[in-house]
């Protein structure tokens, strides 16, 4: 069968391997498998959210509230915006897709960092847009500016902090950059890990309200999948001026968020204490990774997220990841991004101790 030819050279997004796969392929007891591959909150979903979800499961014959009134109000109130400035997606991923479809067609230009969230490129390629990337792996706004002057752009993606590397631009430099961008260029500020970054360093904190009021061509994206511990519910959100939001609404299919997901997200927003406690533990545990790297002579990228990228010297990251997988430890190999590095989600204390032990074993075996 003939398909749209843009799909020929398009590779599918490689998600973190699920625990079930490791159980099936390597015969490991599911209780022994640890997944530190998709930057989920390792402390699990807040108990209050779980209770809420359980109380609702009886009523699944009805379609969800397509206006998403309550969740939009809750988000608008938390971020001091109007609900007209809010759109909800099946993960913020879906809003990335809306952005591409709203702005791009064949030959449109999309500007991004060399090593960043893979879906930017995948969605852009689906519409045959032209991808322009910086030479540097990490975000370098001087290079962004140069490329923007040379090629222009229909969309610019800024991942703040960046996945899969963990670095984070300062708010001030982002603003300086945005001042130079044409009003017709949509700038997507992907804040999937903003809760972590702003906890670690105030200079990294981007206030969505200030952002979209200062730069009406910007959209801010957030997600419930990471700090809010709801990866399984698929809820993300976008904040922008009404003109952008109402345009995205033309692309959205009805009922794109399930009843349970909406309720879970609303409940999760109420349990801010839980989220803050998880973020605090994240950075206590991250120190242990930094110490581990220093002791083993590995470089790492200082991280403003809930994962850490470790550059492996004298070992091949693909082999290290495979050996860890066979021992029931799922992490991310970054070979596909052109790096000899691994990305590890910061787990619970127990999970991290296991990672260090298994990684030492693997390094010994591969020596
Ligand atoms: C996880 C992630 C997302 C989206 O996650 P959803 O689960 O689709 O909300 C978006 N951007 C980055 C950089 C991410 O790491």
């Amino acid at each position: 069968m003939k398909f749209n030819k843009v799909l020929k050279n398009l590779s599918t997004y490689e998600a973190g391997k699920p625990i079930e796969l490791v159980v099936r392929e390597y015969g490991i007891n599911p209780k022994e498998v640890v997944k530190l591959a998709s930057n989920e909150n390792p402390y699990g979903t807040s108990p209050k959210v779980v209770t809420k979800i359980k109380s609702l499961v009886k009523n699944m014959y009805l379609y969800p509230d397509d206006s998403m009134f309550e969740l939009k109000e809750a988000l608008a109130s938390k971020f001091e915006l109007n609900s007209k400035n809010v759109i909800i997606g099946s993960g913020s991923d879906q809003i990335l897709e809306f952005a591409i479809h709203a702005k791009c067609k064949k030959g449109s230009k999309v500007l991004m960092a060399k090593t960043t969230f893979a879906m930017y490129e995948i969605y852009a390629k689906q519409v045959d847009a032209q991808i322009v990337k910086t030479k540097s792996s990490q975000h370098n706004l001087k290079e962004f500016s140069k490329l923007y002057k040379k090629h222009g752009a229909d969309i610019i993606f800024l991942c703040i902090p960046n996945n899969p590397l963990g670095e984070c631009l300062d708010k001030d430099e982002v603003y300086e950059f945005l001042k130079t961008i044409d009003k017709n260029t949509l700038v997507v500020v992907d804040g999937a890990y903003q809760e972590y970054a702003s906890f670690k360093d105030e200079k990294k904190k981007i206030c969505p309200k200030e952002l979209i009021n200062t730069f009406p061509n910007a959209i801010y994206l957030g997600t419930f999948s990471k700090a809010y511990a709801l990866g399984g519910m698929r809820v993300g959100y976008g904040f922008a001026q009404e003109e952008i939001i109402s345009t995205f609404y033309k692309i959205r299919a009805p009922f794109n968020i399930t009843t349970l997901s909406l309720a879970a997200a609303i409940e999760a927003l109420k349990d801010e204490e839980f989220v803050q406690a998880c973020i605090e533990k994240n950075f206590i545990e991250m120190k242990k990774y930094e110490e581990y790297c220093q002791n083993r002579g590995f470089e790492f990228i200082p991280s403003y997220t809930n994962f850490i990228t470790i550059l492996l010297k004298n070992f091949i990251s693909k082999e290290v990841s495979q050996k860890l997988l066979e021992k029931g430890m799922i992490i991310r190999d970054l070979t596909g991004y052109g790096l000899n590095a691994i990305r590890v989600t910061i787990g619970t204390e127990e999970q991290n101790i296991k990672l260090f032990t298994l990684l030492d074993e693997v390094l010994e075996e591969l020596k």
Side-chain angles (χ1 to χ4, degrees):
M1 189 182 288
K2 275 189 186 155
F3 292 105
N4 188 331
K5 68 178 190 314
V6 298
L7 299 177
K8 226 180 201 150
N9 299 318
L10 193 55
S11 37
T12 43
Y13 180 81
E14 207 185 307
K17 291 188 171 61
I19 289 172
E20 295 79 355
L21 177 139
V22 181
V23 173
R24 266 194 323 269
E25 285 195 2
Y26 304 107
I28 298 167
N29 180 341
K31 285 202 189 88
E32 311 247 299
V33 180
V34 176
K35 184 185 178 202
L36 298 176
S38 297
N39 307 335
E40 291 130 331
N41 183 331
Y43 303 101
T45 304
S46 138
K48 287 180 188 164
V49 175
V50 173
T51 307
K52 182 74 186 178
I53 295 171
K54 280 186 182 161
S55 76
L56 287 172
V57 289
K58 299 183 285 296
N59 293 325
M60 287 306 112
Y61 63 99
L62 291 172
Y63 273 115
D65 168 14
D66 194 47
S67 77
M68 304 181 205
F69 178 82
E70 239 190 297
L71 179 57
K72 286 206 282 188
E73 282 292 313
L75 282 166
S77 142
K78 176 172 177 196
F79 291 94
E80 299 174 349
L81 288 160
N82 190 293
S83 53
K84 291 195 187 87
N85 300 119
V86 185
I87 189 164
I88 312 291
S90 172
S92 55
D93 232 308
Q94 191 173 43
I95 306 172
L96 293 170
E97 193 178 8
F98 295 161
I100 290 285
H101 284 272
K103 284 294 287 180
C104 298
K105 54 182 194 301
K106 182 179 165 67
S108 296
K109 297 210 169 82
V110 179
L111 177 56
M112 66 186 81
K114 180 180 168 195
T115 306
T116 190
F117 193 49
M119 290 314 298
Y120 307 155
E121 182 167 353
I122 293 177
Y123 287 129
K125 282 186 171 165
Q126 287 173 2
V127 299
D128 216 0
Q130 191 187 326
I131 314 240
V132 181
K133 287 183 175 180
T134 58
K135 277 214 176 73
S136 307
S137 282
Q138 299 183 27
H139 284 64
N140 176 328
L141 289 176
K142 282 208 183 79
E143 286 183 39
F144 270 84
S145 283
K146 248 192 210 153
L147 291 170
Y148 184 68
K149 284 201 188 95
K150 189 167 173 198
H151 305 280
D154 295 282
I155 300 194
I156 300 174
F157 285 106
L158 297 177
C159 196
I160 313 175
N162 188 23
N163 177 14
L165 300 182
E167 94 277 8
C168 189
L169 293 167
D170 284 353
K171 177 199 135 176
D172 286 348
E173 54 178 338
V174 173
Y175 274 37
E176 282 309 308
F177 173 69
L178 288 179
K179 280 182 198 160
T180 68
I181 302 303
D182 188 84
K183 294 292 158 267
N184 199 31
T185 299
L186 179 67
V187 181
V188 177
V189 172
D190 186 342
Y193 303 92
Q194 263 289 319
E195 294 89 353
Y196 295 99
S198 53
F199 176 91
K200 182 173 175 176
D201 183 350
E202 192 68 23
K203 287 201 298 292
K204 310 294 183 188
K205 183 179 183 146
I206 301 220
C207 163
K209 178 187 181 176
E210 188 187 72
L211 176 77
I212 68 168
N213 287 338
T214 316
F215 305 104
N217 57 325
I219 179 164
Y220 177 95
L221 301 187
T223 179
F224 286 93
S225 301
K226 309 288 163 54
Y228 282 85
L230 286 176
M233 296 309 267
R234 314 297 306 119
V235 195
Y237 52 89
F239 298 137
Q241 292 300 334
E242 211 181 326
E243 182 196 18
I244 297 175
I245 298 295
S246 59
T247 304
F248 283 20
Y249 257 90
K250 296 180 184 177
I251 302 164
R252 183 192 74 103
F255 310 117
N256 59 325
I257 313 295
T258 71
T259 303
L260 293 183
S261 301
L262 288 169
I266 293 161
E267 207 59 26
L269 278 179
K270 291 182 195 159
D271 201 358
E272 204 57 55
E273 224 173 284
F274 168 82
V275 176
Q276 285 309 311
C278 293
I279 294 173
E280 264 174 57
K281 282 187 268 187
N282 174 67
F283 285 110
I284 292 169
E285 289 300 310
M286 191 182 290
K287 277 226 164 59
K288 298 180 187 170
Y289 278 83
E290 296 173 352
E291 280 159 18
Y292 178 90
C293 289
Q294 276 149 3
N295 292 336
R296 300 296 182 280
F298 292 134
E299 247 184 89
F300 62 89
I301 301 173
S303 171
Y304 292 85
T305 65
N306 65 342
F307 60 82
I308 188 163
T309 292
I310 303 172
L311 309 166
L312 292 180
K313 238 183 357 210
N314 307 323
F315 294 93
I316 298 162
S317 63
K318 199 170 178 176
E319 291 177 5
V320 170
S321 309
Q322 180 58 33
K323 286 253 182 207
L324 281 172
L325 190 67
E326 289 164 18
K327 293 173 189 285
M329 176 61 69
I330 317 172
I331 58 152
R332 225 27 167 12
D333 168 36
L334 299 185
T335 303
Y337 289 89
L339 293 170
N340 184 38
I342 53 173
R343 189 197 71 188
V344 186
T345 304
I346 310 297
T348 61
E349 181 174 20
E350 188 189 355
Q351 290 175 325
N352 298 331
I353 290 171
K354 188 156 183 177
L355 181 279
F356 298 140
T357 308
L358 293 178
L359 186 50
D360 275 346
E361 271 178 42
V362 166
L363 295 177
E364 188 58 36
E365 288 168 26
L366 288 172
K367 206 159 68 179

